[in-house]
Amino acid sequence: MAEFTMELNDEQKEVRDWVHGFAAAVIRPAAAEWDEREETPWPVIQEAAKVGIYSLDFYAQQYFDPTGLGIPMAMEELFWGDAGIALSIVGTGLAAVGVLANGTEEQIGTWIPQMYGDANDVKVAAFCSSEPDAGSDVGSMRTRAVYDEATDEWVINGTKTWATNGGIANVHVVVAVVDPEIGSKGHASFIVPPNTPGLSQGQKFKKHGIRASHTAEVILDNVRVPGSCLLGGKEKLDERLARARERARYGGERVKNAAMATFEASRPAVGAMAVGTARAAFEVALDYAKTREQFGRPIIDNQGVAFQLADMRTSIDAARLLVWRASWMAVNGKPFTAAEGSMSKLFASETAKKVTAQAIQILGGNGYTREYPVERMHRDSAIYTIFEGTSEIQRLVIARTLAGLPIR
């Protein structure tokens, strides 16, 4: 087990500086254009693939960093560049992690390379879980997968929403209900290969922020996938369902808590994204306050501005420390006895919204225009309090954990 430390080692610093350099040289200059276009920034993703940032190898190396700091460090730097473009770069990782966590070695070797493509022909993947009536309440999922024994195929029907890369992905990973009697334990994940009949893109959402990231509905109408596309295989699924049914009879709440623990462990990465956006806005505001003069002196000499900047920096550093603590705990198997994962996501998300709003205020009228990036950063920051569990859900998780109550 790695000791918790706030000091990055030389290798981590090298990776951090490399990712930061890419964000500064490639992502940030392209941010305004792709925000206006509201399209997937394929040229930027291709550049990320050429240097090795858009690749399974890069994310695997960061994920298996024993300190737990590899992923949050990389996320902070990418999202410092721009949240919309960064989400287009890292969105495929959601689907890849789903396959890595649940798939067989053969499935991992077959499908993950197809998710990324290569530097000359980049591909993206989509993880499809949320539904119109099942966001925070995963137990209300309606998409069904039924096994057709005669053909050894699974038939999937339903509608997914808020899917990053939904409809444009080469590979879709779809979560569906296979046994509705046991709640979220009756879910399974399926690979939907490229060009599978019955899968189509529904509504593409025109969003308030992160507009360079493609978000859409995915419609599944009698989608048939081979039995080999069930992640983990049918034998493993049958065994898991049998255990879940038995546990549900004698300890249903314990089963639900185990499911929530999975979500809890993934939330610090979103917190790191929020820290990156907050830091970017703070740096713009700080530079502006040092150079903008009113009444014959820089506005940072005014206590009202200086105190805002002090609070902004303090909140950013506090958010980063919460993210790092939770990330270290997750990698080293430390239980979240006080919902530390939700704490990190909650505080970092709320910090991003507040800091970006303060940055606009410090820039005044300039901050309200698209001539300066803080307007975009403020729009982008709103998503952090919504996806991967709203701030209200985070507070509920924290409160029920502290009270020793089951998390439903």
Side-chain angles (χ1 to χ4, degrees), residues 27-73:
I27 294 178
R28 183 163 283 191
E33 175 188 350
W34 292 99
D35 177 72
E36 291 286 347
R37 293 175 64 166
E38 298 191 55
E39 297 174 358
T40 300
W42 292 108
V44 182
I45 298 174
Q46 186 173 39
E47 287 300 311
K50 287 180 179 178
V51 300
I53 290 176
Y54 183 70
S55 70
L56 175 64
D57 287 346
F58 173 73
Y59 291 109
Q61 289 172 11
Q62 304 318 308
Y63 182 81
F64 290 112
D65 182 338
T67 69
L69 303 186
I71 288 293
M73 177 187 64

Side-chain angles (χ1 to χ4, degrees), residues 249-305:
R249 292 191 187 97
Y250 303 106
E253 296 297 349
R254 182 166 61 89
V255 172
K256 290 179 182 178
N257 285 340
M260 289 302 296
T262 301
F263 291 110
E264 180 77 351
S266 67
R267 285 169 175 156
V270 180
M273 298 173 187
V275 170
T277 299
R279 191 184 108 213
F282 165 77
E283 290 176 2
V284 173
L286 178 62
D287 288 344
Y288 186 88
K290 288 178 178 178
T291 57
R292 171 68 167 171
E293 291 192 1
Q294 290 288 278
F295 306 105
R297 61 181 182 177
I299 62 173
I300 198 171
D301 286 352
N302 298 311
Q303 193 177 77
V305 173

Side-chain angles (χ1 to χ4, degrees), residues 78-155:
L78 287 171
F79 281 75
W80 171 90
D82 177 67
I85 292 177
L87 193 57
S88 289
I89 292 173
V90 306
T92 293
L94 298 173
V97 168
V99 176
L100 283 169
N102 301 299
T104 64
E105 289 187 9
E106 182 178 359
Q107 289 170 330
I108 292 169
T110 298
W111 295 111
I112 290 184
Q114 294 186 48
M115 292 180 174
Y116 286 91
D118 57 47
N120 296 316
D121 184 23
V122 293
K123 306 290 185 183
V124 295
F127 182 75
C128 307
S129 178
S130 293
E131 298 184 0
D133 296 319
S136 300
D137 183 8
V138 294
S140 295
M141 188 177 294
R142 295 180 181 178
T143 298
R144 294 293 304 274
V146 178
Y147 184 60
D148 185 343
E149 191 170 356
T151 60
D152 184 28
E153 292 178 316
W154 288 89
V155 185

